Amino acid sequence: MANFSIVALPGDGVGPEVMAEALRILTAVGERFGHRFDVQKELFGGIAIDTYGTPLRQETLDLSKRAQAVLLAAVGGPKWDDPKAAVRPEQGLLALRKGLGLFANIRPVKVDPHLANSSTIKAQVLDGVDLVVVRELTGGLYFGKPQKRWRSAGGRQAVDTLRYSEVEVRRILQVGFDLARQRRQKLASVDKANILESSRLWREMANEMAQDYPDVELRHVLVDACAMALIRRPVDFDVIVTENMFGDILTDEASILAGSLGMLPSASLGRRRRDRTGLGLYEPIHGSAPDIAGKGVANPIGMILSVAMMLRLSLGLTREAEAVEQAVEVALADGYRTADVAEEGAKVVGTREMGERIASGI
Ligand code: IPM
Ligand code: MN
């Protein structure tokens, strides 16, 4: 019996509800395949601000560093949204990503044919969509200094900084090229090189690195054009690699291809071991959805598919990951839907029942 140590951060809003389903899935995987998952739950985000005065305690960060993987649901909410607040839940998330060195955020967008009619986009456009966005996660506007506000004679001013070093750009582009090589050998590098100097560095380096990947077809796409192409002809994309903020925005957009923001998982990874595993942070791309929190209606699938990514990418449990993904497909094929993706005639279920359905298929 293999033992795995996992830190679980349910966070705020719908976070605890979807996390409960993720842990149900993990228990089912443990029983079916004979593994023990030691899960340590920690308060994180807004609830940790209320309890400890900080969204991420040093203890939680240390615990996460020692674990094999971290599962996170969602953070934030109106209670902590005051723009004047000294401390915000999202700071905890950024500190966690940075503190664990997780520079590569992998966001797969695959359209389950059963959900083709749940999207606001025409089913024929969605046919065969299977792409991955590789988003840089610990640089760019999210971390660049200076970031501040001040008053001048002309009024209030503010600055954010989009800074990238060669090291940061190279390592994320490498993740993109390597992933494209394992998939359909198509890499779209997304930037705004007609305006931004950081994008021109990015583009130059992508061209240099392409020499080492003659098998990968590289193209450069400006971020605004990419936003359009993603919904016009999404099948054209295989792997997209881009900087932090562009990746944040494009993946919310891309989630509509999959039917709902609630469907998409993500993995945040740092340096890998030789066997390609390593510490990772796994979270759905959706937020804490305060409007539906506590109602038991949130879609747990993005969270559950994040568990599958964790099994594969941090724990090296490929068969187990496939079992989870298949169980999700079966629940959808059987017609079960949470409200966010429910079309006419669907069997609408809540968070818990969806989790139970999926767990029973493992
Ligand atoms: C995401 C989220 C976060 C981000 C927020 C909550 C800080 O939107 O993971 O996409 O912007 O990275
Ligand atoms: Mn986002």
Side-chain angles (χ1 to χ4, degrees):
M1 179 183 260
N3 262 32
F4 299 97
S5 62
I6 292 157
V7 171
L9 309 173
D12 309 314
V14 297
E17 296 164 53
V18 295
M19 180 62 82
E21 301 319 310
L23 299 181
R24 184 191 307 283
I25 299 303
L26 212 48
T27 305
V29 170
E31 281 166 9
R32 152 98 194 270
F33 293 90
H35 303 303
R36 218 184 110 153
F37 299 104
D38 294 320
V39 178
Q40 169 103 25
K41 272 198 207 171
E42 287 281 303
L43 298 182
F44 178 68
I47 188 161
I49 295 179
D50 293 350
T51 314
Y52 309 116
T54 169
L56 173 64
R57 291 189 302 157
Q58 187 62 45
E59 287 93 312
T60 307
L61 181 59
D62 291 342
L63 205 65
S64 301
K65 281 184 185 159
R66 289 195 302 269
Q68 280 162 287
V70 182
L71 271 178
L72 164 66
V75 295
K79 184 171 175 195
W80 307 281
D81 259 355
D82 179 359
K84 293 212 163 72
V87 41
R88 308 169 55 82
E90 292 79 4
Q91 288 166 342
L93 184 52
L94 299 201
L96 186 65
R97 290 168 174 171
K98 191 80 163 182
L100 298 178
L102 306 175
F103 61 86
N105 185 220
I106 314 292
R107 297 186 161 182
V109 181
K110 207 171 167 177
V111 176
D112 185 306
H114 299 102
L115 292 185
N117 291 319
S118 306
S119 176
T120 49
I121 298 179
K122 288 197 188 98
Q124 80 228 37
V125 177
L126 300 175
D127 193 29
V129 169
D130 177 7
L131 61 92
V132 181
V133 179
V134 176
R135 168 189 174 195
E136 200 290 325
L137 202 60
T138 52
L141 283 168
Y142 279 60
F143 293 93
K145 295 279 175 321
Q147 178 180 60
K148 62 174 182 179
R149 284 240 223 158
W150 70 98
R151 283 177 186 279
S152 66
R156 288 170 293 176
Q157 299 205 36
V159 63
D160 294 282
T161 302
L162 207 183
R163 178 191 300 269
Y164 270 110
S165 72
E166 220 176 312
V167 171
E168 291 171 312
V169 176
R170 182 173 297 110
R171 66 187 181 185
I172 193 70
L173 284 171
Q174 198 166 351
V175 173
F177 275 110
D178 286 341
L179 191 62
R181 178 169 270 176
Q182 291 162 38
R183 291 173 46 97
R184 300 193 307 273
Q185 294 88 39
K186 282 179 17 175
L187 181 63
S189 173
V190 173
D191 63 34
K192 188 72 184 173
N194 51 350
I195 299 292
L196 301 174
E197 200 53 51
S198 54
S199 283
R200 287 190 279 271
L201 172 65
W202 182 284
R203 195 175 275 218
E204 189 176 298
M205 291 187 65
N207 285 333
E208 288 162 14
M209 289 174 68
Q211 312 294 317
D212 297 332
Y213 293 86
D215 48 326
V216 174
E217 179 202 318
L218 168 71
R219 68 188 168 117
H220 302 284
V221 188
L222 293 173
V223 64
D224 47 352
C226 181
M228 182 207 42
L230 256 179
I231 49 170
R232 197 170 82 97
R233 277 190 59 82
V235 288
D236 286 352
F237 291 98
D238 176 17
V239 178
I240 292 174
V241 62
T242 191
E243 69 90 46
N244 201 345
M245 178 70 95
F246 296 161
D248 180 42
I249 297 169
L250 291 177
T251 50
D252 267 33
E253 184 193 6
S255 75
I256 296 306
L257 304 169
S260 151
L261 199 54
M263 291 296 299
L264 292 197
S266 83
S268 302
L269 309 173
R271 290 188 52 192
R272 312 263 73 198
R273 285 190 291 264
R274 266 169 191 280
D275 68 359
R276 291 218 178 128
T277 63
L279 176 64
L281 168 68
Y282 299 86
E283 46 176 321
I285 83 157
H286 66 73
S288 61
D291 51 325
I292 55 165
K295 297 190 176 150
V297 299
N299 186 345
I301 293 182
M303 181 82 239
I304 289 171
L305 291 174
S306 301
V307 170
M309 292 189 87
M310 172 185 84
L311 293 167
R312 182 179 284 117
L313 299 173
S314 276
L315 310 184
L317 302 176
T318 310
R319 273 188 320 138
E320 290 80 344
E322 283 166 4
V324 173
E325 287 160 354
Q326 269 162 27
V328 168
E329 273 174 42
V330 169
L332 293 172
D334 286 346
Y336 295 100
R337 305 278 187 273
T338 43
D340 56 326
V341 284
E343 68 272 41
E344 286 259 314
K347 299 173 203 159
V348 182
V349 293
T351 312
R352 180 173 176 159
E353 191 178 345
M354 186 56 114
E356 287 169 349
R357 290 274 158 202
I358 296 168
S360 70
I362 287 171

